[in-house]
Amino acid sequence: MNDSIDTALAGFDPTLLPIIKAQKGHVEARPGPVGQAFHLQPDHETLSGWYDGLTIRPGFSLVLSDLHFAEESISRHHCGDHLKLHFKLSGTSVIGSDREEDATVSSGLMSFLVQPAYSMKYERMLRETHERSITMICSKDFVSGLLSPHTPDLPTSIADFLRARTSQFSYSTLPMPAQMRPIVEDILSQPRSNTLGNLMLEAKSLELLCFAIKQILGNSRAAEFVRARDRRKIEELCQILDDDTQASLSIADLCRHLAWNETQMMECFKQVTGTTISNYRQRVRMDNALRQLCDTDASITEVAFNAGYEHPSNFATAFKRTFGYSPRLARTRLN
């Protein structure tokens, strides 16, 4: 293990230790909101970018990442006794375990991962992937202070985790509500080297945590009234919409493709995702525009045209409504 990790290991919250030990690269330790935080740059020729890890409360930490994978990357590790909440702004990965089917996690999704001690998880990052994400790592004691196994609408996997009745890794994905996206973006772009920056991170992290818990509980309640077959159709529909960045498929086209009645499709989509197909499509357009601002040299006018806007001013208004800041500021902050 890197010497810089050895000398500072005692200053980190236990929720961060598995992350630090699993990585290879240069680690810079620095004061965080609670205990030690770290900045890590991977030491690998096919992986570039950074991880930042910091603790907000004892037993509640964040790992922020902005990484470019030139080649496919597979990682396997034994889990700590943690509940993780993952928010993916860009990139695609595949997660699974020795007992669970592989699940593709695309941009615009949030996930909750139940990771009992010594359970096994693997993750495969696709080649030529740019991942920007936040992972919240919560100890069982921290989660128990917020939720109990008897909390109404709590998913069974989390309830069993709190009761210490499960030893297997499990996960679930659901759409990231529109109000979460600007918070995630702000956390990723906040300065983390001063007291004011740490205070802002603390406030936004707690806000995001509250939104995430409400989303998990609300999704569990809504899913009770949607058949498993229809939920699978909604997952397929979300993937189609994510790929159809120009919104070339009409509602009628989608109905034919899924062999689904329009009214039922619209109702189930809103029930499961918490938004309409139209609003979801708008998010896809804005997410695609954000990726272009981050990953390409295209002008803001070109990005606006690619997003289907004839007038850049209209695009700028829609973009700011979605993310809370202008395209020009987005390019400055993300690059």
Side-chain angles (χ1 to χ4, degrees), residues 57 60 62 85 87 110 136 138 142 146-147 177 179-180 183 187 202-218:
R57 294 280 192 277
F60 172 47
L62 271 65
L85 306 175
F87 308 87
M110 65 166 284
M136 292 181 166
C138 307
F142 180 81
L146 302 174
L147 303 165
Q179 66 267 38
M180 284 188 187
I183 304 174
I187 292 174
E202 181 181 0
K204 289 187 175 294
S205 299
L206 294 173
E207 182 182 15
L208 182 62
L209 176 65
C210 291
F211 271 129
I213 291 174
K214 289 180 180 179
Q215 174 73 351
I216 290 170
L217 297 178

Side-chain angles (χ1 to χ4, degrees), residues 42-117:
D43 182 17
H44 199 286
E45 60 183 10
T46 64
L47 174 61
S48 61
W50 52 264
Y51 297 93
D52 274 2
L54 62 154
T55 301
I56 303 300
R57 294 280 192 277
F60 172 47
S61 297
L62 271 65
V63 174
L64 320 178
S65 62
D66 190 321
L67 299 164
H68 292 261
F69 293 83
E71 300 292 340
E72 181 176 279
S73 172
I74 297 177
S75 61
R76 293 180 175 86
H77 65 271
H78 290 286
C79 304
D81 205 16
H82 300 143
L83 173 69
K84 292 185 178 179
L85 306 175
H86 182 74
F87 308 87
K88 193 181 289 291
L89 292 180
S90 66
T92 300
S93 62
V94 178
I95 62 174
S97 72
D98 55 350
R99 297 196 177 194
E100 295 277 347
E101 293 183 358
D102 294 351
T104 299
V105 184
S106 304
S107 61
L109 293 179
M110 65 166 284
S111 313
F112 63 87
L113 301 88
V114 176
Q115 300 189 340

Side-chain angles (χ1 to χ4, degrees), residues 228-264:
R229 182 181 65 183
D230 290 340
R231 287 200 297 272
R232 288 193 293 270
K233 284 188 174 183
I234 293 301
E235 291 175 3
E236 182 180 355
L237 176 54
C238 287
Q239 188 61 57
I240 292 171
L241 296 174
D242 287 341
D243 294 338
D244 185 29
T245 57
Q246 298 299 316
S248 60
L249 296 173
S250 67
I251 294 295
D253 292 333
L254 296 171
C255 289
R256 282 193 295 270
H257 180 83
L258 296 168
W260 213 356
N261 171 272
E262 179 178 337
T263 300
Q264 187 181 22

Side-chain angles (χ1 to χ4, degrees), residues 69-329:
F69 293 83
E71 300 292 340
E72 181 176 279
S73 172
I74 297 177
S75 61
R76 293 180 175 86
H77 65 271
H78 290 286
C79 304
D81 205 16
H82 300 143
L83 173 69
K84 292 185 178 179
L85 306 175
H86 182 74
F87 308 87
K88 193 181 289 291
L89 292 180
S90 66
T92 300
S93 62
V94 178
I95 62 174
S97 72
D98 55 350
R99 297 196 177 194
E100 295 277 347
E101 293 183 358
D102 294 351
T104 299
V105 184
S106 304
S107 61
L109 293 179
M110 65 166 284
S111 313
F112 63 87
L113 301 88
V114 176
Q115 300 189 340
Y118 308 114
S119 60
M120 178 65 74
K121 173 210 169 188
Y122 81 83
E123 183 170 17
R124 176 165 58 91
M125 299 299 304
L126 306 185
R127 68 184 305 270
E128 298 298 337
T129 292
H130 178 198
E131 178 175 84
R132 299 177 63 246
S133 66
I134 292 177
T135 301
M136 292 181 166
I137 310 173
C138 307
S139 69
K140 186 177 293 182
D141 286 344
F142 180 81
V143 179
S144 296
L146 302 174
L147 303 165
S148 84
H150 308 292
T151 299
D153 306 311
L154 187 67
T156 302
S157 59
I158 299 179
D160 287 345
F161 169 72
L162 293 175
R163 294 188 182 103
R165 290 182 180 176
T166 182
S167 60
Q168 297 299 322
F169 166 80
S170 63
Y171 56 85
S172 183
T173 60
L174 51 156
M176 191 191 309
Q179 66 267 38
M180 284 188 187
R181 180 80 189 228
I183 304 174
V184 177
E185 290 281 3
D186 281 345
I187 292 174
L188 274 173
S189 60
Q190 279 293 326
R192 292 178 279 281
S193 58
N194 56 56
T195 302
L196 186 59
N198 284 337
L199 184 63
M200 184 66 73
L201 277 168
E202 181 181 0
K204 289 187 175 294
S205 299
L206 294 173
E207 182 182 15
L208 182 62
L209 176 65
C210 291
F211 271 129
I213 291 174
K214 289 180 180 179
Q215 174 73 351
I216 290 170
L217 297 178
N219 187 77
S220 177
R221 182 167 55 251
E224 292 179 359
F225 303 100
V226 180
R227 295 177 298 179
R229 182 181 65 183
D230 290 340
R231 287 200 297 272
R232 288 193 293 270
K233 284 188 174 183
I234 293 301
E235 291 175 3
E236 182 180 355
L237 176 54
C238 287
Q239 188 61 57
I240 292 171
L241 296 174
D242 287 341
D243 294 338
D244 185 29
T245 57
Q246 298 299 316
S248 60
L249 296 173
S250 67
I251 294 295
D253 292 333
L254 296 171
C255 289
R256 282 193 295 270
H257 180 83
L258 296 168
W260 213 356
N261 171 272
E262 179 178 337
T263 300
Q264 187 181 22
M265 181 179 74
M266 303 284 272
E267 289 178 352
C268 285
F269 190 89
K270 178 67 179 293
Q271 204 167 8
V272 172
T273 67
T275 190
T276 64
I277 291 177
S278 176
N279 287 340
Y280 190 95
R281 276 184 149 160
Q282 177 68 358
R283 182 195 64 77
V284 168
R285 288 209 295 175
M286 291 297 105
D287 285 352
N288 190 50
L290 184 65
R291 283 193 292 272
Q292 291 181 61
L293 291 170
C294 182
D295 296 339
T296 76
D297 294 326
S299 69
I300 292 175
T301 299
E302 290 174 313
V303 173
F305 289 156
N306 292 338
Y309 288 85
E310 294 184 6
H311 303 290
S313 60
N314 292 341
F315 165 72
T317 299
F319 188 94
K320 188 170 184 178
R321 187 183 304 118
T322 300
F323 298 115
Y325 45 80
S326 69
R328 189 174 303 279
L329 183 57

Side-chain angles (χ1 to χ4, degrees), residues 25 39 298:
H39 178 76

